Amino acid sequence: MTTIGVLGGSGAVGRIVVDRLTAWELGKLRVGGRDLERVAKVCAQAPKAHTEPMRVDLNDRDELRGFCADCDVVVNCAGPSYQVLDRVARAALAAGAHYVDAAGDLVAIDALGDAPPTGLADRAAVFSAGLMPGLSGLLPRLLAVDGPPARLDIYVGGAAAIGPLSAVDALLTRGPRFGTALAAWRNGGIAPNALRPLRSVALPGFRGRVHAWPFLSAEASRLAAELGVEELRNYTVYVTEAIPRALAAAWADEDAPLERHVPAVAAAAEADLAATGPYYTMLFQAVHHDPAPGRPRRLELHTPDSYALSGVVAALTARDLLDERIPPGVHLAAEVLSPRETLTLLADDPLVTGVELI
Ligand SMILES: NC(=O)c1ccc[n+]([C@@H]2O[C@H](COP(=O)([O-])OP(=O)(O)OC[C@H]3O[C@@H](n4cnc5c(N)ncnc54)[C@H](OP(=O)(O)O)[C@@H]3O)[C@@H](O)[C@H]2O)c1
């Protein structure tokens, strides 16, 4: 019987991975985390499935090895991702399993590349299988099916609670392997300081006035280069300026341990939630040189829960791996999932409250 390990299965992302994989009846689920009671509770909510709660601390080599043993796929939703890097991927591949990471990004791929595991000859490791990164690099491809747009604008954001673990990841999202603030992609390269924050603007699909911060992520640069767009602008959208302010204060305080700023980031996210309630919007807009009729120029996707939707993407990636639709090697989810099929599947998912492709 197929065995799928979901590490961090009691978290905001992991719970949905367990829920969807259970519903799709893909095999036995081994659900792991440090608090056995929490993972047992998640397993108990999936009575029909074969679920096995397991206590595991990913920082304990033997426990992690035991968790990955006999798995066909390991889905990692534990973190902080930018501290965990390739640790779980290596254990999964050593056990002969495929690997899916709801985050990870290029920094984890870099770490894995330092000493590539032999398991990659016939197994795949797929990183950034979430919403952003993930869908943010996948869905814009639907606006480029008839050739690259001259310009692509990406706006992703809204209001969501940020737990302590994800707050650490938000604070670690710094440096060129993550992206460049205020930069755009222009004519084949990164154009530094090309953009300014859009303060208090109205954007389609976002509630009230929002603040859009230009951040040319590494994912967006790869997308622009691959599609051959002349210009790409990538914005993270906030409903208040509380989060960018909290991040800026933390990054300015270089001597303090990162953890000291976690409560401020979490509180800023709460302030956003109080302002609008939970919602997340992905807006992609293309400008074509040849705006022929029928050529798509705008894609909008709405969800009340960006964390849970990341779990759906991670679960879809695990399913594609089990169906042998992803070749061996190391990948970003945005570069191996099918944009069309993913959008079709998401449109039917209860966590997606609206999709418009026009
Ligand atoms: N790509 C995207 O769009 C996206 C979106 C949201 C989140 N993420 C990423 O997804 C990851 C999970 O976020 P989340 O909000 O779901 O976090 P969360 O709610 O805090 O859940 C974390 C899970 O991991 C487990 N865990 C934590 N430390 C562990 C350890 N040392 N060993 C084993 N298990 C451990 C936790 O259980 P115990 O505490 O009991 O161990 C829990 O089950 C983060 O890395 C986050 O950055 C990505």
Side-chain angles (χ1 to χ4, degrees):
M1 188 186 217
T2 299
T3 301
I4 307 171
V6 184
L7 186 59
S10 55
V13 175
R15 279 195 302 271
I16 297 295
V17 175
V18 172
D19 182 84
R20 294 301 189 271
L21 292 177
T22 305
W24 300 337
E25 298 182 352
L26 295 182
K28 186 176 97 179
L29 297 194
R30 181 176 296 157
V31 185
R34 292 166 301 180
D35 183 336
L36 185 60
E37 217 171 285
R38 274 183 82 199
V39 286
K41 218 180 258 176
V42 172
C43 290
Q45 283 161 7
K48 275 185 285 173
H50 291 266
T51 50
E52 174 195 5
M54 188 181 278
R55 207 212 84 83
V56 51
D57 185 337
L58 66 87
N59 295 310
D60 182 308
R61 193 184 290 262
D62 291 337
E63 285 184 17
L64 185 57
R65 193 186 298 127
F67 180 80
C68 295
D70 307 320
C71 282
D72 295 280
V73 182
V74 172
V75 184
N76 181 29
C77 309
S81 186
Y82 307 133
Q83 289 173 346
V84 172
L85 296 174
D86 58 340
R87 179 186 296 264
V88 184
R90 284 187 185 278
L93 292 163
H98 295 293
Y99 180 71
V100 178
D101 199 316
D105 305 46
L106 294 183
V107 288
I109 292 182
D110 290 347
L112 199 57
D114 284 344
T118 50
L120 285 169
D122 57 0
R123 292 286 180 274
V126 185
F127 292 88
S128 301
L131 187 147
M132 182 178 71
L135 293 181
S136 47
L138 177 72
L139 297 180
R141 292 160 194 266
L142 290 166
L143 302 180
V145 283
D146 300 326
R151 180 169 147 192
L152 185 58
D153 292 353
I154 299 175
Y155 300 91
V156 177
I162 301 183
L165 190 145
S166 288
V168 172
D169 274 335
L171 287 161
L172 288 170
T173 310
R174 279 188 91 189
R177 283 309 263 169
F178 289 103
T180 313
L182 305 181
W185 181 271
R186 279 189 189 148
N187 303 316
I190 296 173
N193 291 314
L195 304 172
R196 290 284 163 265
L198 306 176
R199 287 197 158 91
S200 199
V201 292
L203 290 171
F206 289 86
R207 295 181 187 168
R209 299 219 159 243
V210 292
H211 310 277
W213 289 76
F215 182 74
L216 185 68
S217 63
E219 178 190 62
S221 289
R222 282 169 73 106
L223 176 73
E226 189 189 323
L227 297 183
V229 299
E230 288 163 30
E231 176 161 348
L232 186 146
R233 302 178 181 197
N234 188 54
Y235 293 90
T236 309
V237 180
Y238 302 100
V239 302
T240 76
E241 294 193 82
I243 292 177
R245 248 189 248 126
L247 292 174
W251 292 333
D253 188 12
E254 280 178 357
D255 297 334
L258 191 89
E259 284 68 22
R260 188 175 296 167
H261 293 279
V262 163
V265 173
E270 287 302 326
D272 281 5
L273 271 174
T276 60
Y279 87 97
Y280 229 72
T281 298
M282 308 188 86
L283 167 68
F284 308 102
Q285 297 186 136
V287 177
H288 296 284
H289 280 308
D290 166 24
R295 215 169 169 195
R297 57 184 196 285
R298 183 152 70 89
L299 171 56
E300 253 181 73
L301 183 143
H302 301 273
T303 180
D305 188 337
S306 57
Y307 286 71
L309 195 61
S310 291
V312 176
V313 177
L316 287 171
T317 308
R319 187 164 73 175
D320 269 7
L321 280 167
L322 289 171
D323 289 345
E324 297 183 355
R325 301 185 64 190
I326 296 176
V330 182
H331 310 284
L332 291 176
E335 296 172 6
V336 286
L337 297 179
S338 157
R340 173 72 56 193
E341 283 176 31
T342 306
L343 187 67
T344 305
L345 291 165
L346 291 181
D348 283 340
D349 194 284
L351 279 166
V352 173
T353 44
V355 171
E356 193 177 31
L357 178 61
I358 54 166

